[in-house]
Amino acid sequence: MDYRYSDRTRNIRPSAIREIIKYAVAHPDVIALSTGSPANEAIPVDEIHEISEKIFREMPLAGLQYSMTEGYPPLRATTKKRLKEDFNIGTDEDDLIITTGGQQGLSLAANVFVNPGDTVIVEQPSFVSGINAMRIHGANVIGLDMDDDGIRPEALAHVLETQDRVKMLYVIPNFQNPSGKTLSYERRKAIYALCAEHGVIILEDNPYGELRFRGEEIPSFKSMDTEGIVVYNGTYSKLLSAGMRIGFVMARKEPLQLLTIAKQFSDCHSNIFFQILTDEWLNTADVKAHVKKIQGICRDRCDFMLKLLDEKLDPRVTYTRPDGGLFLWCTLPEGCDSQELSEVALEKGVAFVPGRDFMVDNNAPCRSFRLNYTTPSYENMEKGVERLAEAVKEYFKIKGID
Amino acid sequence: MDYRYSDRTRNIRPSAIREIIKYAVAHPDVIALSTGSPANEAIPVDEIHEISEKIFREMPLAGLQYSMTEGYPPLRATTKKRLKEDFNIGTDEDDLIITTGGQQGLSLAANVFVNPGDTVIVEQPSFVSGINAMRIHGANVIGLDMDDDGIRPEALAHVLETQDRVKMLYVIPNFQNPSGKTLSYERRKAIYALCAEHGVIILEDNPYGELRFRGEEIPSFKSMDTEGIVVYNGTYSKLLSAGMRIGFVMARKEPLQLLTIAKQFSDCHSNIFFQILTDEWLNTADVKAHVKKIQGICRDRCDFMLKLLDEKLDPRVTYTRPDGGLFLWCTLPEGCDSQELSEVALEKGVAFVPGRDFMVDNNAPCRSFRLNYTTPSYENMEKGVERLAEAVKEYFKIKGID
């Protein structure tokens, strides 16, 4: 059979991250600094277990039968209340549906807004499955380079003025994946004004916002959304459990209705047992204390890895010092390619994700790479950074850098 | 904000079924013969609870952390083994991934194969969220009318000869939703040959196959798939629990790789806790006895409703006598429109789904409508059919039929 696939599947490659994770699974001696999972100790297993028991005791059929596409009504209400009270997000003109993890919100937004050939602007580097969710809906993806404060409004203005089919800006404002960078408040305001002026949707993806362990919280795009241009994408993956696949998307009621229809034909509804469980947890657990706890976990792990890098890594390799989230972004000197370093590093027994996999053009060499500090054990972080430092030494020798 | 949506969202309406379910929820006095849920008593709650306990005891983190897009490897293996041993489905050239319920397989197949403007042929009537999963990917949907043995190969041949962009045939061969009809073996063979000849993918959707309570099992399209043209879509929604959203899709390895990538960007992976749970249940429960039990539940409920209809309904209303599944398909005399009857019926306190909602052109009048016999209690089936019979009487009076 000579399969005739849809055009949209072309130019889509499986995420290199998954390939690297597969490699790590097949080679258990390789230390993975490449994944993006929350820390195991951040998952409140006993609380989840207890609530699961309660559901089986009190309402098992509600947790096991078909449910509504929009999501479990109490979880929608609890999520809206929490967003409003804790983050000043959402107005009477907005509404919210439950999604199958944060990834689904990205896919639904692309589905509803992006025609083949439309431009979607992304941060560069950016979350590879975000970029690909845009591309599989036919988007022409344009990346804006970031400095320490994120993307520059001037660069955005230039694209908006020179491209005539810009539909959406996809942005992860807090502790971005993969860079760990945070978009400054001044820039958020300027970027919001630009997008409002040009009628461009801001797809604000905020999986890590609650994982701030340093500095002051910065208002979200959605909290300043007087014009209704922001689609806010959230998830309980980092707060409670990633495996349950429970996220949410908030938008003005009109576009949300289309997002709901798109979801209906994507997967009917999300796992209802864990929707009930999440709602019950939000209403009965000490959520604020839990958030503090996981912020502490991330901070301790981040600081530990920064200390290791400070001590062991060749100082010509630079790296971000994030205020939250799961990731560090390291950069090699001019003339290097982290893909080449990756091969040396895998031989030394340590895996990271080369930066090119987060770029709009993922064939071009890239000096940067991503490290994760929440998944490995402390012991493996120490061993992993040692191996990375050795790999860098060897790679610099190969490249004639000394 | 004047939202500029994607073209693909046009011509997509929310499923009328959902609106009717919402109406029924808002009016609890209305008896719903309109839903499509498995019977509550068909869900093995205690077994599910017990396995859930085991997961919390033995491997909670595996059930709560991120997992692989392809699905939990043991569940993939167990599902493949069961399909092969019990249904002769799958070869060494095929593979299978886990999906977020049966709906996701339809969406992924449309995503991977259908370009805007490509033709997808469907049975008429057909599952409305199946039709819409095709349309939201830009498909030009053509319906083939069914007789008691399903769609006719001659009609399919005609479309294949006169349309030049036919990509896919979407078919629910067993106890079809909504008609309850089953495609005969002779026709399956003829249809398979035609699709193979024209290089057309058969998307075989088989959510109800195991719910046969009368007659002989008929080989699936996938079991005769020497050419690799069949994408087989299955689900554990009717066997174990619909709320958990665990399904699977099987195809030749090459297209399956694209289906996997499309899934990755749709929702990353399906709820892993219930994937583990489903695998454990398949390996430890007496699945064959459970299947017999739920077949019995469907048969008893179907027979009860048929008896009620035989006794109470005006004999000019005809209906299918299905060999399995969840649905009956009723047809009014010439000149009637089930949408009109629906309004009278809702006033009498009974809801069903008007047939036009399952049609390719859902604006045209339709004489038929769908009844479900697995969701209502026996008492409500009795009351519901009584109210339906009264509504028919009144509607015939309005239409001047006597």
Side-chain angles (χ1 to χ4, degrees), chain B residues 133-152:
Chain B
M134 303 302 130
R135 282 195 169 140
I136 207 164
H137 289 91
N140 165 39
V141 176
I142 292 182
L144 297 182
D145 290 336
M146 304 167 82
D147 62 23
D148 287 348
D149 289 329
I151 54 172
R152 293 180 312 111

Side-chain angles (χ1 to χ4, degrees), chain B residues 21-220:
Chain B
I21 290 172
K22 272 190 197 167
Y23 182 92
V25 168
H27 299 80
D29 49 319
V30 170
I31 291 171
L33 306 179
S34 46
T35 59
S37 303
N40 280 341
E41 66 268 30
I43 302 176
V45 173
D46 291 340
E47 291 177 11
I48 292 172
H49 184 184
E50 215 169 280
I51 296 169
S52 166
E53 280 305 284
K54 193 176 168 197
I55 297 171
F56 277 113
R57 212 163 48 231
E58 294 177 6
M59 52 192 297
L61 287 171
L64 298 170
Q65 267 287 16
Y66 275 116
S67 190
M68 295 160 74
T69 300
E70 291 86 344
Y72 182 57
L75 177 59
R76 294 173 65 202
T78 303
T79 303
K80 278 190 274 186
K81 187 163 174 279
R82 187 163 185 267
L83 285 177
K84 188 69 200 164
E85 288 178 359
D86 293 1
F87 307 101
N88 191 31
I89 286 174
T91 69
D92 287 347
E93 294 170 74
D94 293 303
D95 205 349
L96 171 153
I97 61 170
I98 304 300
T99 56
T100 303
Q103 182 67 40
Q104 189 175 46
L106 308 181
S107 170
L108 296 177
N111 197 344
V112 162
F113 287 108
V114 179
N115 272 324
D118 282 352
T119 292
V120 175
I121 303 172
V122 304
E123 298 160 310
Q124 178 155 267
S126 188
F127 176 48
V128 61
S129 288
I131 295 175
N132 281 325
M134 303 302 130
R135 282 195 169 140
I136 207 164
H137 289 91
N140 165 39
V141 176
I142 292 182
L144 297 182
D145 290 336
M146 304 167 82
D147 62 23
D148 287 348
D149 289 329
I151 54 172
R152 293 180 312 111
E154 300 73 30
L156 174 64
H158 178 76
V159 175
L160 293 175
E161 276 151 25
T162 53
Q163 298 272 332
D164 58 354
R165 289 186 60 187
V166 179
K167 267 284 177 73
M168 199 147 74
L169 168 68
Y170 168 58
V171 60
I172 307 167
N174 296 311
F175 331 120
Q176 197 238 20
N177 180 1
S179 70
K181 290 173 183 173
T182 293
L183 188 60
S184 72
Y185 186 38
E186 288 310 309
R187 289 192 181 177
R188 292 184 195 201
K189 286 188 286 189
I191 288 167
Y192 182 85
L194 279 167
C195 287
E197 184 193 334
H198 288 82
V200 167
I201 296 288
I202 298 176
L203 175 55
E204 178 173 33
D205 192 15
N206 194 19
Y208 315 111
E210 298 200 47
L211 301 184
R212 176 180 283 282
F213 48 72
R214 262 191 285 274
E216 285 296 303
E217 195 174 309
I218 299 173
S220 65

Side-chain angles (χ1 to χ4, degrees), chain A residues 5 18 53 70 228 254, chain B residues 3 5 8 18 53 70 254:
Chain A
Y5 301 112
R18 286 180 56 239
E53 279 305 283
E70 290 87 343
E254 183 194 300
Chain B
Y3 297 101
Y5 301 111
R8 65 179 82 79
R18 287 182 55 238
E53 280 305 284
E70 291 86 344
E254 182 193 301

Side-chain angles (χ1 to χ4, degrees), chain A residues 1 3-9 12-15 18 22 36-40 43 45 48-49 52-53 56 60-61 63-66 69-70 100 103-104 107 110-116 129 132-133 136-137 166-167 198-201 227-229 237-238 241-245 252 254-255 258 260-262 264-274, chain B residues 1 3-9 12-15 18 22 36-40 43 45 48-49 52-53 56 60-61 63-66 69-70 100 103-104 107 110-116 129 132-133 136-137 166-167 198-201 227-229 237-238 241-245 252 254-255 258 260-262 264-274:
Chain A
M1 177 76 177
Y3 297 101
R4 293 171 295 145
Y5 301 112
S6 64
D7 297 336
R8 66 177 81 81
T9 57
I12 299 287
R13 301 187 320 170
S15 156
R18 286 180 56 239
K22 271 190 200 165
S37 302
N40 280 341
I43 303 175
V45 173
I48 292 171
H49 184 185
S52 166
E53 279 305 283
F56 277 114
L61 287 171
L64 298 170
Q65 267 287 15
Y66 276 116
T69 299
E70 290 87 343
T100 304
Q103 182 67 40
Q104 189 175 45
S107 170
N111 197 344
V112 161
F113 287 108
V114 179
N115 273 324
S129 288
N132 280 325
I136 207 163
H137 290 90
V166 180
K167 267 287 176 70
H198 288 83
V200 167
I201 296 290
E227 307 303 312
I229 61 168
S237 288
K238 276 75 189 179
S241 150
M244 65 183 187
R245 313 307 299 133
R252 284 289 193 270
E254 183 194 300
L258 288 175
T260 309
I261 294 172
Q264 184 183 6
F265 307 139
S266 294
D267 66 0
C268 190
H269 66 80
S270 301
N271 182 289
I272 180 64
F273 191 93
F274 276 90
Chain B
M1 176 76 178
Y3 297 101
R4 295 171 294 144
Y5 301 111
S6 64
D7 296 337
R8 65 179 82 79
T9 58
I12 299 288
R13 300 186 322 168
S15 156
R18 287 182 55 238
K22 272 190 197 167
S37 303
N40 280 341
I43 302 176
V45 173
I48 292 172
H49 184 184
S52 166
E53 280 305 284
F56 277 113
L61 287 171
L64 298 170
Q65 267 287 16
Y66 275 116
T69 300
E70 291 86 344
T100 303
Q103 182 67 40
Q104 189 175 46
S107 170
N111 197 344
V112 162
F113 287 108
V114 179
N115 272 324
S129 288
N132 281 325
I136 207 164
H137 289 91
V166 179
K167 267 284 177 73
H198 288 82
V200 167
I201 296 288
E227 307 303 313
I229 61 168
S237 288
K238 276 74 190 180
S241 151
M244 65 182 186
R245 313 306 300 132
R252 283 291 194 268
E254 182 193 301
L258 289 174
T260 308
I261 295 173
Q264 185 184 3
F265 307 139
S266 295
D267 67 359
C268 189
H269 66 80
S270 301
N271 183 288
I272 180 65
F273 191 94
F274 275 90

